[in-house]
Every structure is written in C-alpha cells, then in structure tokens.
Amino acid sequence: MTNKIFLILVLVGVPLSVIGSLLHWPSVVMFVVYCLTIVALASFMGRATESLAIVLGPRIGGLLNATFGNAVELIISIFSLKAGLVGIVLASLTGSVLGNLLLVAGLSFFIGGTKYKRQTFNVYDARHNAGLLIFAVIVAFVIPEVFSQNMNDVETMSLSIGISVILIVLYLAALFFKLVTHRGVYQPTEKGAALGEHEEEEPEWGKKAAIGVLAAATVAVAYVSENLVHTFSEVGETFGWTELFIGVIIVAIVGNAAEHASAIIMAYKNKMDIAVEIAVGSTLQIAMFVAPVLVLLSLLFPTYMPLVFTWPELISMVTAVFLMIMISNDGETNWFEGLTLLAAYVIMGIGFYLL
C-alpha cells in the first residue's frame, strides 16, 4: 500500500516539479510538491539499495547502505551550499542528528512499545555506538566551536578541514571494523537467527533493475533538490520561518522521511536491532561522513562551510546524544522511553521555531 502511494507521488510529482519550475508556479506550492516528491524518490532509493544489499551479500550491502543511506540529505545540502546557504546546511545536519536520535528512535520505541511491553536489541552494538556518538558529536563538533573563538576565518577553516579528514578516516575504519574484522563477533544467538532470516529474503528487484532505479531516482532527486533550495527564502518569509528552523526541522525531515518510516515499521515488527541501527547508524553517518564531506566540498564553491555550529545547535545535539545513550545502553526499551525522546524533540523544535 505504502509503495503504491510512493509510486503515485513519483509519477505525479516529478512531472509537476518540471512543469512548475518552468512555468514559475508559486514558491509555496512548489515547496510542497518538491518535498513530497523527494520523500517518494527517497523511498525508491532505499528499496533499490535494499535489493542490491540482498543480491550482493551483507558486506557489500552494508557498504551500499552506508553510501546511499543519507544520499538525499547530501544532495539537498550540496545544492544549498552552491546557493551559499551555509546556515541551512549546518542546521539540516543538526536536524538530522536530532531527528534520528529523538524523533525516529522515539517513534520507534513508542510505537513498538505499545505492541510489546519490553523490546530488546544488541547491547554490544549500543555500547559501541555510544562511544562513536560521543566522539562524532561531542568531540568533533564542540572542539571547532570552542577553538574557533580565538581564530580567524582561515584558521577556522583549516581546523575544520583537518577534523573532517579525521572523521572520514575513522568512519571508514568503523565500517571496516563492523563489516570485516569484527563482523558477527558481538552477535547474540537471537540476532544471528534474525540475520539468517534476513539473508533468505527475496530482493524486490534484480541487480540490473535495482541499479537502474537507484540511478534514475538519484538523478531525479538532484533535479528536484536544486529547485527546492530556491524556494527556501520565499517560504521562510511567507510562514515566518528562520533559516535555522527550515534547516533543523523541514529539510532534515524531508531528507530522511523514507528512512524514518522504515525504522518505525521495523520496531512495530519487533526487529529492534534494525530500527536502532537505522536511527543511530544514520546519525553516525551524518556526523562522521556527510558533514565532513560537505566541509570539503564547500571548498569548490565561493562560500566555504566551516564545521562550526551555533551554541543552540551544539547544546541540542549534545543533549540528544546523552539522552539516547542513557536510554539505549541497557539494550532494551519500552513505550515510555520512546515518549521521553519525543518530548525532548518537541521541546527543541519549539525552541528553534522561536529563535
């Protein structure tokens, strides 16, 4: 049912996006069309990646998921950088971290918890991810803000480039650790069985069809994202939204909507390992790969993007990381813990709206 809705949205949304941009339809109308189209296209990208992961095996599959997991977010951010909207890019990165750790994990825990009194997931993964979250968000994001207080723009950018390179190297090392050297080392027997079931899954599309869908969806997302970026200023003026709010809430939710839905569905099916991996794994990918790649890509554009967030963004991300670690470190969850995460997201959303 959901797949049919996404198919209709793509078949209607892509032509409307082209026609609307050529005929210069009102920005607010086009903003809604672009957002819905991107959400639907992201769903196709996710399903194509999943099919390829099943066809090509768990190692290549893990790498593909790591590469394309936040492709939509990356594409929107690249066009925002090209347009010089550095504030929106940094805000959307903040929004992705908050959205994954609080909104996605919160909804997953809450909806799964209404069906099952107690849900468990791999405690070793949770502890491994906790260390990486502290490094990626607290060390790599707070350090540039603190040190840049006494630096000029050139020195701040040099610091940001150095940190970005270290983050990417550590992220690739983390992938190598999970997919190669320590693959399966920390899996409990229940999860091993679950993985066995997962490996027997039938892919939705064959190899060639999945590559074709992935390529077409990526090109379409790039086209729609470029047009979406040009509507931000007018939409912000119309609704009274700041750049910060558009980035933290709107762009982050649109860029990750399909992935958010997957996590919630998995939690409802009691596949909590996958739900937690989507929420936390996606956060790590944003912090350790997407953000540093954008810093390096910004060197190709007139406006550079240092890895320096505002204090409200930083404090929100640090709070989200600690709250998630405290809730997930025991390897089990319930609906009340999900509600706690959602409450934190709403409080931060109100704060960013009023800023």
Side-chain angles (χ1 to χ4, degrees):
M1 181 63 186
T2 314
N3 291 348
K4 280 184 182 174
I5 293 169
F6 284 138
L7 178 61
I8 292 164
L9 280 174
V10 167
L11 294 176
V12 174
V14 173
L16 276 181
S17 298
V18 176
I19 294 163
S21 63
L22 292 174
L23 298 179
H24 305 292
W25 287 356
S27 288
V28 176
V29 173
M30 291 315 298
F31 175 79
V32 174
V33 171
Y34 295 147
C35 286
L36 290 173
T37 306
I38 287 172
V39 169
L41 286 166
S43 155
F44 276 88
M45 288 175 74
R47 283 154 57 199
T49 307
E50 207 173 298
S51 295
L52 282 173
I54 295 167
V55 171
L56 300 173
R59 289 191 188 187
I60 303 293
L63 201 58
L64 277 171
N65 280 318
T67 309
F68 284 97
N70 286 295
V72 175
E73 177 89 10
L74 188 60
I75 292 166
I76 296 173
S77 296
I78 289 169
F79 285 112
S80 299
L81 274 180
K82 189 181 167 193
L85 303 171
V86 171
I88 282 185
V89 177
L90 287 167
S92 73
L93 293 170
T94 302
S96 291
V97 170
L98 299 181
N100 284 311
L101 292 181
L102 301 178
L103 180 63
V104 180
L107 279 172
S108 300
F109 294 173
F110 180 75
I111 290 170
T114 56
K115 191 177 178 187
Y116 305 93
K117 279 196 181 296
R118 176 175 165 268
Q119 292 183 293
T120 59
F121 48 90
N122 191 334
V123 71
Y124 301 107
D125 269 353
R127 288 169 187 164
H128 171 73
N129 288 337
L132 281 178
L133 278 173
I134 288 174
F135 173 82
V137 175
I138 298 172
V139 177
F141 286 179
V142 175
I143 293 292
E145 173 61 36
V146 173
F147 281 76
S148 66
Q149 301 291 322
N150 299 314
M151 290 180 178
N152 59 36
D153 290 348
V154 176
E155 289 167 337
T156 301
M157 200 60 209
S158 301
L159 175 67
S160 300
I161 292 166
I163 291 171
S164 297
V165 171
I166 292 165
L167 278 169
I168 292 169
V169 170
L170 192 69
Y171 180 69
L172 295 175
L175 281 181
F176 187 70
F177 176 85
K178 284 185 92 167
L179 300 176
V180 183
T181 66
H182 283 64
R183 181 171 160 250
V185 171
Y186 297 120
Q187 311 291 6
T189 48
E190 302 96 315
K191 189 174 179 191
L195 282 175
E197 287 166 26
H198 184 67
E199 279 166 17
E200 288 165 22
E201 267 189 282
E202 285 293 313
E204 187 177 352
W205 296 303
K207 187 177 170 184
K208 285 182 181 175
I211 291 170
V213 169
L214 189 59
T218 305
V219 170
V221 164
Y223 174 80
V224 178
S225 298
E226 184 170 18
N227 290 308
L228 172 70
V229 167
H230 298 308
T231 66
F232 286 160
S233 57
E234 202 170 316
V235 167
E237 284 170 24
T238 306
F239 293 108
W241 294 344
T242 60
E243 243 187 39
L244 194 59
F245 181 77
I246 290 172
V248 170
I249 305 296
I250 310 298
V251 176
I253 288 177
V254 170
N256 295 295
E259 206 173 30
H260 293 182
S262 301
I264 295 159
I265 291 163
M266 289 302 166
Y268 190 72
K269 291 178 179 175
N270 205 24
K271 296 183 177 179
M272 288 309 289
D273 282 312
I274 301 172
V276 172
E277 184 55 38
I278 290 171
V280 179
S282 190
T283 306
L284 290 172
Q285 192 179 74
I286 286 286
M288 299 181 72
F289 184 72
V290 175
V293 162
L294 287 169
V295 170
L296 299 178
L297 283 176
S298 75
L299 300 173
L300 305 173
F301 301 115
T303 311
Y304 295 168
M305 186 184 90
L307 200 62
V308 176
F309 294 87
T310 62
W311 279 113
E313 289 171 329
L314 278 178
I315 291 167
S316 298
M317 286 191 283
V318 168
T319 307
V321 165
F322 280 131
L323 187 57
M324 183 62 179
I325 288 170
M326 290 304 295
I327 281 175
S328 66
N329 235 12
D330 59 354
E332 61 178 65
T333 185
N334 52 62
W335 69 263
F336 185 74
E337 289 182 341
L339 197 61
T340 307
L341 292 172
L342 288 172
Y345 185 75
V346 173
I347 288 170
M348 290 174 193
I350 294 168
F352 282 115
Y353 179 73
L354 295 173
L355 263 184

